[in-house]
Amino acid sequence: MKKVKSAINEQRRKVSTSRALLLHDSIGPHKVRATTQSLQELGIQVLHHPTYSPDLAPCDFWLFPILKDRLAGRKFHCIQDLAKAVNSELRTIPEGDYQGVFRRWQITLKRYIESHGEYFEGL
């Protein structure tokens, strides 16, 4: 949890962790008591990700498909080689692309909130 707090502080030097929001999906490590209690102690508000809603996770609907396409067919001999390749590919994506996907993500989250968590189609 110290790494989480440090990362948030690094990204948001002027904003305390008490104003941070963290979107969590429904995997086990995100739901265990130790994790939820630690985040609560740090003052980090958690937004829970509904099950089976990959359209609410920018990495699932945007970033991972890009990385899969760019790394397809390449062989890596160790995890460090894979990590270097992923980091290299991430650096080639223009900043504006990241900003655009997060703007679309905000619109999708707003629609999710307005629908009170019910299913909806399209953006």
Side-chain angles (χ1 to χ4, degrees):
M1 284 302 137
K2 290 178 184 178
K3 287 183 179 181
V4 171
K5 185 175 182 178
S6 294
I8 290 170
N9 287 335
E10 177 80 20
Q11 294 294 318
R12 302 178 134 211
R13 293 186 189 273
K14 297 180 183 175
V15 179
S16 72
T17 56
S18 64
R19 295 196 49 212
L21 297 174
L22 181 64
L23 178 65
H24 262 191
D25 57 19
S26 56
I27 64 170
H30 293 171
K31 298 188 301 183
V32 296
R33 187 177 310 179
T35 301
T36 57
Q37 283 178 341
S38 295
L39 291 170
Q40 187 176 16
E41 288 169 8
L42 290 172
I44 298 172
Q45 183 179 354
V46 175
L47 301 172
H48 295 282
H49 187 281
T51 306
Y52 306 115
S53 295
D55 53 330
L56 295 178
C59 289
D60 288 348
F61 72 77
W62 177 74
L63 186 58
F64 292 154
I66 290 173
L67 289 174
K68 280 177 59 178
D69 285 347
R70 292 180 179 196
L71 298 173
R74 293 172 60 183
K75 303 280 185 204
F76 302 98
H77 299 294
C78 63
I79 193 72
Q80 291 84 3
D81 291 344
L82 173 61
K84 286 178 187 175
V86 168
N87 284 323
S88 176
E89 292 298 336
L90 290 173
R91 283 189 207 96
T92 67
I93 299 171
E95 184 178 324
D97 290 2
Y98 286 102
Q99 291 169 345
V101 77
F102 281 101
R103 280 192 295 274
R104 292 190 306 275
W105 179 60
Q106 288 173 326
I107 293 167
T108 302
L109 287 176
K110 184 178 180 197
R111 291 205 48 210
Y112 173 74
I113 291 167
E114 290 170 350
S115 71
H116 303 287
E118 296 297 320
Y119 178 80
F120 64 89
E121 287 190 35
L123 216 120

